[in-house]
Structures are given as C-alpha cells and as structure tokens.
Amino acid sequence: MANKSTIKTPIPELAPEVRVTNFSEVALGYTPEQAKEEADRCLNCKKSPCVAGCPVGVQIPEFIGKIQEGDIPGAAEILKSKNLLPAICGRVCPQETQCEALCIRAKKGESVGVGRLERFVADATLDAPPPPKPAANGHKVAVVGSGPSGLTCAGELASRGYEITIFEALHKAGGVLVYGIPEFRLPKAIVARELQSLEHMGVTIKTNSIVGRTFTVDELFAQGYEAVFIGSGAGLPSFLGIPGEAYNGVYSANEYLTRINLMKAYDADSRTPVQRAKTVCVIGGGNVAMDAARCARRIGAEVTIVYRRTEKELPARLEEIHHAKEEGIVFKLLTNPLRIDADEKGWVKSLHCQQMKLGEPDASGRARPIPVEGSEFDIETECVVMAIGNSPNPLISQTTEGLEVNRHGCLVLADEEAMLTTRPGVYAGGDAVTGAATVILAMGAGKTAAQSIDSYIKRKK
Ligand code: FAD
Ligand code: SF4
C-alpha cells in the first residue's frame, strides 16, 4: 500500500559530536524496513519523470517497484544494468538536482529518496556473485585514468568482450573517489568492492602509469590498442593569485584531501605529514570546500569557510552544507580574501579579507559580488586551504599530437555525441572534457564513449 508521508524516511546518521572525532561514515543507510517504507512512497508513475533526470538512465520506478515487492536481487539487476557504480552514486550523487528534482512527489512535499534507495540496494547486494565474464572479442582498448568516467567506459567495453587496460597515474585506482571524497562520505572499502567487480569482468588496472610520461598515447596505439579513452579528470588546482599563497600552511584542497584521505594522514599510525592546525580557513563553497573543512574539523581544527557570495549561491550539495554546519563549521559569507599574512618564520597567521555585497548577475548567471569600501578585516588562522576549483592537467594534451584543448585546458570534442576528440581513435569524457563536474556526469560520458568506441572498432573491421 502506498505510503502517503510527504517527507522522506529519515536515514540514520552518526551524531555530530561523535562524527567530528573520527572518519567513520556519517550516513548509515536504510534498514530493510526503512527501505520498504521509503519505496512505498513511490507512485510508479507511468511517465516516470525521474528517469529523465538520471544521466545514465536508471529505470527508477522499476527498481523501486522490486524493493516494494521485497525482491532486492531483482532491484539490483535493474539498477546495475544501467549504473556500474550504484553504491558510490547512492552516496555522492547530487540527486536533489537530478532524478529527485523531477519526482512527482516533490510537488507536494519531499521527493522519493531515490539516492538512499539506490544505496540500500547496492549495499545489500555487494557480496552477490559478479556476472559471468563475457567472451573475448579479440580487440584491445586503453583507458587513461581510473575515476568514474574511466571505470564506466572500461566496464561497458569489458561487458562487450573487449580486453581493457586502465592506466592510472596514482598508486591506487578510483580517481577522486579515493583521493578526494573523504572516508566519512564514501568509505574506501565500498570503492574497492566496486573495483573488484570490474576486475572480475577481466579489466586490468595498471597503477603508477602516467600517460604522457611513462608512455604516450601514440605508444599505446603502437602497443596494439585500437582506441584510447581519456578520463584523466581535472586535478590541477587553481589558486586566487593573492599575495602570501606561498607561505607555510597554505594548501590546495587537492593536496590537503589527498594527504588526509589517500595517504591516510588522519590515522595516527600514518607517516604522511599534514599540518595539525588549531584554526583553518577554507576558501570556496563547493563540495570540495565542504570536504576539506569537514576533514580539518576531524583532525582537530576550528574551521571557517570563507565564501564571497551568500548561502543561497553555495554550490555544494545541501546535505554537505547541513552536515558541515552540524559539525560546528563557521560560514563567513560575503567575504573575499585579499592577502595571506605570515609570522616572521613564514607560517600563516591570518587571512586579510574584505566584506562583499551582491550586485547584478554576472556571465555565470549568479549575482556578482561587489567589494564594500572600507570593510577590510583579518581572520586569525594558522592554515588556509584553497578550494576554488580545478582544471585538467595539460600533460596528455601536451604530449599527444592532434589533441586540441580550449582556453580552460579542457579537451575539445570534434564529435560531442560520440565523445570523440580532435584525434581519430581517441575518445574522452568526464572532468577532462567538462572541467570539474560530477561523478554521474563523468559516468554518463564514459558510457557514451564506450558505445562510440565499440561502433568505431566494428566499423574498422
Ligand atoms: P577523476 O575522478 O578525477 O579521475 C581521473 C583519474 O585520472 C585520476 O585517478 C588521475 O590520477 C588519473 N590521471 C590523471 N592524469 C593521468 C595521466 N596522465 N595518466 C594516467 N592517469 C591519469 N561529484 C559528485 O557527484 N558528488 C560529490 O559529492 C562530489 N564530491 C567531490 C569532492 C571532491 C573533494 C572533489 C575533488 C570532487 C568531487 N566531486 C563530486 C566531483 C567528482 O568527483 C568528479 O566530477 C569525478 O570524479 C570526475 O570523474 P573523472 O573520471 O572525470 O575524473
Ligand atoms: Fe517514483 Fe517519483 Fe519517479 Fe514517480 S517520479 S516513479 S514517484 S521516483
């Protein structure tokens, strides 16, 4: 029977005072009873508008219908037929702006908790045996980067019988899923399980392999790969270009998060150094800023987020902002940093800022922040983390003839529908093409590119 509740079934969470003391996962996931209760809120709409909001086209009412029937393996089969990484997406996708934003139930109350249900089904079937390995078709494709775009492209091609090798620059596979998004939002054991199912499909992952340095794209073709997919992400951090950015105690969010997450600096037994500052200012208002701030809080700092617009314009997911506030992180809004000051030994001591007000919308459509004259002030801080954006690393484009990039350093697509770059046989997707975006968009791009690579190789035959 339909559940008429206008609000989502709450998901159990660790209490804020407990979670700031450790890196354990914050949201604990539904019990089977809670999942059934939430699934019963779905109206199984005939036109299912929610599906149009999913970049990989998950058949949402169908999989939720299976939960209603108590058939969790059936739900998983439907889910996994479209989404290779459901346990990850169920945790980190911005569903509130995608499938859930289009849900009929959101017209009078809260949408169905599609993400929470996705996570429930994925977690409940993590130990299910993987599908049988497909028969080999005798063709080899190279994938550069093991983030969500590369993993999805690899999985999709492997399921069609291709021999796939992923080349990953870091010592661990997973891209931002392992080096950026913290353990308390996405446990690394979950990423490892999703990677295992790819390896079961026959995908080889070669870590410590930097394409453009260890070998070039041309050398991959010379090794017999018939096509190359580039999913190298956007790992080059941006800085504000203000005085003082070279002082001790200034980090890019990428470095800060990589040290804490991938290199496990949060663990007392780890040998990775990271500054254990008493006070940290994180500059920026996106997911990366929230993650850096919440990590800093967990390693013992009083944390301030410094953002030049208002709360309404914060680009981070609502849930992340809510969690950050619950954890005691201070939001200093309408504030623009002008300079970082240091003590006589070169260690950061304060952030010199200016008050802003909002003006007319700028080119991005968001209200333009305007400085308020005579409003400069200092925030005392020992550490500054810059989380103002990332762009693609130029290594591959600089070492591959014929690969064009735009003025932001993003790879240009000669055929956007096919995800084909300006170099024949080289496809690309994810943040390397769009600039910093989302997991599910990267996955959608990887999937489309895989379909195009399949047609390209079949045509060549
Ligand atoms: P990436 O995940 O960046 O993976 C690229 C991989 O390529 C990396 O492993 C890199 O080491 C490798 N590589 C790079 N160059 C080379 C080379 N030359 N040779 C070999 N390998 C190479 N999105 C969400 O949807 N929800 C969130 O909550 C969210 N939170 C985020 C939090 C943080 C801290 C960050 C940084 C991003 C977050 N994002 C989030 C964005 C999301 O993670 C990215 O959009 C997504 O990971 C992009 O996937 P990708 O496959 O394009 O690249
Ligand atoms: Fe269910 Fe909402 Fe999709 Fe309708 S729009 S099928 S209620 S999830």
Side-chain angles (χ1 to χ4, degrees):
M1 211 182 44
N3 173 354
K4 295 206 174 88
S5 170
T6 54
I7 58 160
K8 283 181 192 171
T9 309
I11 193 164
E13 285 178 353
L14 283 184
E17 61 277 14
V18 175
R19 62 195 198 224
V20 293
T21 63
N22 61 44
F23 273 71
S24 302
E25 189 169 21
V26 169
L28 301 173
Y30 279 152
T31 61
E33 296 71 30
Q34 289 165 330
K36 169 86 170 78
E37 188 184 320
E38 183 57 19
D40 284 343
R41 293 187 60 233
C42 176
L43 305 171
N44 307 104
C45 316
K46 274 221 170 65
K47 289 197 175 144
S48 49
C50 49
V51 177
C54 175
V56 295
V58 168
Q59 296 303 303
I60 292 166
E62 283 80 358
F63 100 79
I64 296 181
K66 290 287 177 193
I67 307 176
Q68 290 168 342
E69 291 165 18
D71 176 5
I72 308 305
E77 200 181 319
I78 296 170
L79 187 55
K80 290 180 185 172
S81 70
K82 297 281 182 183
N83 186 339
L84 188 75
L85 311 170
I88 292 169
C89 290
R91 285 171 166 81
V92 304
C93 269
Q95 291 100 3
E96 66 274 17
T97 57
Q98 299 180 331
C99 52
E100 293 184 10
L102 301 176
C103 173
I104 296 287
R105 299 257 0 198
K107 288 193 174 159
K108 280 189 194 155
E110 290 184 352
S111 69
V112 171
V114 179
R116 295 174 181 184
L117 291 172
E118 179 178 30
R119 170 187 168 158
F120 168 76
V121 170
D123 285 1
T125 52
L126 263 186
D127 291 327
K133 207 167 141 179
N137 69 7
H139 296 281
K140 285 199 329 179
V141 175
V143 170
V144 183
S146 62
S149 67
L151 295 176
T152 307
C153 182
E156 188 74 26
L157 285 169
S159 70
R160 295 168 191 232
Y162 287 88
E163 183 187 329
I164 306 297
T165 307
I166 301 182
F167 298 94
E168 167 54 51
L170 294 175
H171 66 280
K172 221 168 184 179
V176 171
L177 306 175
V178 293
Y179 82 72
I181 304 181
E183 179 76 18
F184 55 81
R185 274 213 297 132
L186 178 60
K188 303 310 153 223
I190 296 285
V191 182
R193 290 307 297 263
E194 305 256 41
L195 285 171
Q196 254 175 23
S197 36
L198 260 192
E199 284 170 333
H200 266 292
M201 291 166 80
V203 173
T204 305
I205 304 181
K206 288 196 176 160
T207 51
N208 299 313
S209 307
I210 307 177
V211 174
R213 189 148 294 150
T214 318
F215 28 67
T216 62
V217 167
D218 289 288
E219 283 163 348
L220 291 176
F221 280 115
Q223 285 171 27
Y225 293 100
E226 292 167 69
V228 176
F229 172 77
I230 301 177
S232 49
L236 191 68
S238 306
F239 283 83
L240 284 172
I242 56 173
E245 286 182 336
Y247 285 134
N248 298 321
V250 180
Y251 290 85
S252 70
N254 260 32
E255 179 186 346
Y256 194 68
L257 288 168
T258 302
R259 281 175 184 269
I260 294 175
N261 295 313
L262 183 67
M263 314 294 287
K264 296 197 185 306
Y266 67 85
D267 185 342
D269 294 334
S270 158
R271 287 191 301 170
T272 307
V274 72
Q275 190 189 1
R276 303 254 169 184
K278 286 200 203 71
T279 45
V280 174
C281 276
V282 177
I283 300 172
N287 286 323
V288 182
M290 298 305 139
D291 282 344
R294 296 175 70 201
C295 281
R297 185 85 186 95
R298 282 164 172 73
I299 58 170
E302 293 298 322
V303 187
T304 306
I305 286 192
V306 176
Y307 179 63
R308 62 194 188 133
R309 293 185 167 92
T310 68
E311 176 154 357
K312 208 163 79 154
E313 288 83 26
L314 281 171
R317 290 185 63 198
L318 291 178
E319 188 182 61
E320 305 316 323
I321 299 167
H322 170 70
H323 281 151
K325 283 185 180 170
E326 278 187 338
E327 290 166 14
I329 287 159
V330 174
F331 285 70
K332 196 94 185 89
L333 301 166
L334 286 171
T335 300
N336 192 37
L338 296 179
R339 185 180 77 228
I340 300 166
D341 291 316
D343 63 16
E344 62 290 351
K345 291 191 173 144
W347 284 93
V348 172
K349 64 170 191 184
S350 60
L351 186 65
H352 188 66
C353 301
Q354 184 169 37
Q355 198 64 47
M356 309 297 275
K357 61 180 181 187
L358 287 188
E360 292 301 307
D362 61 15
S364 71
R366 291 181 304 170
R368 187 193 301 273
I370 304 170
V372 176
E373 258 185 60
S375 65
E376 294 180 22
F377 62 98
D378 287 325
I379 305 175
E380 280 186 27
T381 186
E382 293 175 1
C383 174
V384 173
V385 180
M386 296 283 178
I388 56 159
N390 285 310
S391 53
N393 189 305
L395 183 63
I396 298 179
S397 54
Q398 283 171 355
T399 53
T400 313
E401 198 140 332
L403 267 193
E404 271 177 42
V405 290
N406 65 18
R407 66 193 172 91
H408 304 292
C410 299
L411 290 168
V412 169
L413 297 180
D415 180 346
E416 285 189 14
E417 266 174 38
M419 309 305 293
L420 173 66
T421 66
T422 48
R423 169 87 189 258
V426 180
Y427 295 76
D431 287 4
V433 170
T434 55
T438 62
V439 169
I440 195 73
L441 286 175
M443 290 178 64
K447 194 169 183 168
T448 306
Q451 285 152 1
S452 306
I453 290 172
D454 183 36
S455 320
Y456 166 72
I457 291 177
K458 281 185 178 143
R459 271 200 313 273
K460 273 205 325 178
K461 271 202 298 185

